[in-house]
């Protein structure tokens, strides 16, 4: 059982129990749960160096079952009031919201964010088979300010569908550029 709490950072509570059997460790039954909350999403910059600044709230509640070799996760992950900045191109994501439902070997998700004066939406489902991803992801938006530096201002309007089959990703759709000044 693990528990971490800080008024400044957030909380993580969880427990995990594996039943020792005569079989290999991968076949040992496992059971547990994990609950996490933080108002300091800025910690993500430690793990994703391309992000210069992040903020927002993260809540997660998950139950774990199955075996150590093939754990099954059921739960939710939610980000609200998110903000992300990429200083190199002066792009800012505001009002970032993300909801994910984890089930056994997959995740259903949807999210939205404001980029400049436009709104971007993403939704999809991913499953893992033999440690490889499979699924579909749709991304759409209009008038998204993807670059805003003195040398260039660019708005993009994507409407893309990603079909993921293991290590292969097929992309269909279009990205229109309604405004560009270079």
């Amino acid at each position: 059982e693990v528990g971490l709490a800080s008024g400044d950072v957030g909380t993580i509570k969880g427990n995990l129990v594996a039943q020792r059997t005569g079989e290999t460790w991968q076949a040992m039954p496992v059971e547990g749960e994990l609950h996490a909350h933080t108002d300091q999403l800025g910690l993500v910059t430690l793990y994703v160096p391309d992000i210069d600044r992040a903020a927002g709230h993260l809540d997660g509640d998950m139950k774990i079952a199955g075996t150590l070799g093939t754990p099954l996760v059921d739960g939710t992950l939610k980000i609200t009031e998110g903000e992300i900045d990429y200083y190199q191109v002066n792009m800012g994501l505001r009002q970032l919201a993300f909801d994910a439902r984890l089930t056994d070997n997959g995740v259903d998700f949807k999210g939205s964010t404001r980029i400049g004066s436009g709104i971007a939406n993403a939704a999809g489902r991913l499953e893992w088979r033999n440690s490889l991803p499979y699924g579909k992801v749709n991304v759409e938006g209009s008038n998204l300010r993807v670059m805003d530096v003195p040398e260039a201002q660019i708005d993009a309007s994507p409407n893309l569908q990603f079909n993921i089959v293991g290590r292969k990703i097929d992309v269909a759709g279009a990205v229109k550029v309604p405004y560009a000044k270079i």
Side-chain angles (χ1 to χ4, degrees):
E1 187 164 320
V2 66
L4 299 172
S6 168
D8 295 331
V9 177
T11 59
I12 298 175
K13 296 179 185 176
N15 64 57
L16 186 67
V17 176
Q19 297 177 10
R20 175 163 249 177
T21 62
E23 305 169 34
T24 63
W25 69 267
Q26 293 94 335
M28 290 182 186
V30 66
E31 187 176 330
E33 58 184 55
L34 179 67
H35 306 282
H37 168 79
T38 183
D39 291 327
Q40 299 294 321
L41 206 54
L43 295 173
V44 77
T45 60
L46 297 172
Y47 304 101
V48 185
D50 290 342
I51 295 175
D52 295 298
R53 187 188 75 82
H57 311 287
L58 176 127
D59 289 286
D61 291 295
M62 292 170 237
K63 291 188 178 188
I64 303 160
T67 64
L68 283 175
T70 309
L72 302 175
V73 178
D74 182 43
T76 59
L77 183 67
K78 183 178 227 174
I79 295 173
T80 55
E81 299 178 29
E83 295 185 358
I84 295 177
D85 286 319
Y86 298 94
Y87 294 151
Q88 185 175 8
V89 293
N90 195 25
M91 182 173 73
L93 283 66
R94 299 293 179 263
Q95 300 169 349
L96 177 68
F98 179 81
D99 283 294
R101 173 82 178 140
L102 293 91
T103 56
D104 293 345
N105 66 338
V107 60
D108 292 290
F109 65 90
K110 64 180 179 178
S112 65
T113 188
R114 183 173 53 82
I115 304 174
S117 64
I119 300 289
N121 294 292
R125 173 157 179 81
L126 293 174
E127 296 178 354
W128 281 264
R129 299 179 206 145
N130 299 320
S131 300
L132 292 173
Y134 292 79
K136 295 182 184 299
V137 176
N138 295 317
V139 177
E140 65 168 351
S142 61
N143 300 316
L144 310 176
R145 182 57 54 103
V146 295
M147 183 174 283
D148 192 7
V149 293
E151 299 81 18
Q153 292 85 40
I154 301 173
D155 290 350
S157 296
N159 185 356
L160 300 170
Q161 300 81 41
F162 298 85
N163 188 33
I164 302 159
V165 180
R167 291 187 172 91
K168 180 181 176 188
I169 301 175
D170 291 323
V171 182
V175 177
K176 295 180 181 178
V177 180
Y179 174 83
K181 180 181 176 185
I182 298 175

